[in-house]
Each structure stands twice: as structure tokens, then as C-alpha cells.
Amino acid sequence: MLVSVDHKIERLDHCYLYHKIIYNMLRIEMNTRPEITISSLDADRLYKLIESMPKNSFAGKAELESELERANVVAPELVPPTIVTMNSMVKFIIESTKEEFELTLVYPKDIDSSGKKISILAPVGSALLGLSQGDEIEWPKPGGGFLRVKLTEVVYQPERAGELHR
């Protein structure tokens, strides 16, 4: 079968456009994720936690590793007081309903049935790490879809309180 030069050029144009669209989507996604800062102490503890767990033992492992890789890691005493660190208590508001709630970001060993704690191993938990007061994220709804949630206050942060061994 003979293929005209025009057809080949048209096909190349479509491939180029497809790759350009994918590239731009990835670039936009990367640029819309808020910058995050975490303490070197949290980073060390989280890397040790990941290493101690069996391979493929939790669904959010890749996301947590990705967050740790892209984070700006600083000494605990240099973490700004409005940043979510491990064991921080955070207040949120659901943008659509204006409903407020509080959660504490914890290690898996500290999770309980109160509904007031979220594990760093949960995808939403790893998404919270390093965010700053005023940042917004999309929170998955139980039945599907997402809610836009704004971090309104870091109520408690161990670094701010000088409690680094918590």
C-alpha cells in the first residue's frame, strides 16, 4: 500500500499535537500542586517508615514518596508555624458547604477510632504533609468525586510548640 507524503506529514502533525497536549497537561498538573515544606526530622522518620513496610503494603506509597521527593526539607526549627507537619492539628473548611472540621496528621501507630486523626499513609494524609495555611486541595468524596477543601488554620504544630519528640 502506498502512503502519500501528505498523509505521513499529517500523521506526524497528529503525533506532535498529541505529545504536546500530554506534555502541557503534565506541566499544568505539576505547576498547580502547592509547594511544600517539611522538617528533616519528619522526612527521616517517614523514609524509615516506608523502608520498614513490606513492598506494596499500602496504596499511597508512591504518592507519599513523590511528596517527600518534591518537598523543601528544612531543619525543624526553621519550619514556618503555618505549615502542616507530622502530628499537626489542622482546621479545614469545605468550600461548597462552609462546613468546618479538624484533623491531626499522624503516624499509623497513632491512629484511633475517634475520626479526628488521619494517617500519613492515607492518600489524603500524604497530600496534607507540608501544606501551608490558606492552601486548597481536592478531597475525595466517599461516593466518588471531589470536594474543594481549604486549610484555614494550623491549630497545633509540634515544631512551633518545641515538641520535636512527639
Side-chain angles (χ1 to χ4, degrees):
M1 177 175 162
L2 293 175
V3 178
S4 72
V5 172
D6 289 339
H7 180 69
K8 285 182 180 177
I9 291 172
E10 184 180 321
R11 204 163 160 221
L12 285 172
D13 285 343
H14 285 297
C15 288
Y16 170 76
L17 287 174
Y18 172 77
H19 288 287
K20 187 174 180 180
I21 290 167
I22 296 299
Y23 169 78
N24 285 332
M25 286 172 61
L26 290 171
R27 189 171 54 84
I28 289 167
E29 181 181 321
M30 289 172 59
N31 288 338
T32 58
R33 290 167 57 185
E35 184 178 308
I36 62 171
T37 300
I38 64 172
S39 78
S40 55
L41 188 58
D42 283 350
D44 289 344
R45 289 174 178 166
L46 290 169
Y47 278 120
K48 286 177 185 168
L49 174 65
I50 292 169
E51 289 171 6
S52 73
M53 300 187 75
K55 198 173 192 172
N56 301 323
S57 61
F58 67 99
K61 181 178 180 184
E63 290 83 1
L64 178 55
E65 288 175 326
S66 174
E67 292 298 284
L68 290 173
E69 290 300 318
R70 74 181 192 91
N72 175 32
V73 180
V74 299
E77 58 274 4
L78 298 178
V79 174
T82 57
I83 298 285
V84 180
T85 63
M86 291 305 300
N87 297 304
S88 289
M89 180 187 294
V90 184
K91 189 181 286 187
F92 301 91
I93 188 165
I94 299 171
E95 291 292 327
S96 61
T97 64
K98 303 302 181 204
E99 178 185 344
E100 291 187 356
F101 63 100
E102 286 183 0
L103 287 174
T104 301
L105 182 62
V106 299
Y107 292 96
K109 66 179 181 57
D110 298 319
I111 202 78
D112 61 27
S113 61
S114 70
K116 301 244 182 223
K117 295 180 180 181
I118 187 160
S119 171
I120 186 65
L121 299 184
V124 172
S126 64
L128 292 176
L129 182 67
L131 290 182
S132 186
Q133 200 166 287
D135 284 343
E136 294 182 5
I137 61 171
E138 290 194 339
W139 198 288
K141 293 194 298 189
F146 292 91
L147 294 172
R148 192 99 183 128
V149 176
K150 183 175 184 175
L151 192 159
T152 58
E153 182 183 357
V154 177
V155 178
Y156 168 81
Q157 182 203 68
E159 290 79 1
R160 184 173 65 208
E163 298 177 6
L164 303 180
H165 300 289
R166 214 176 137 183

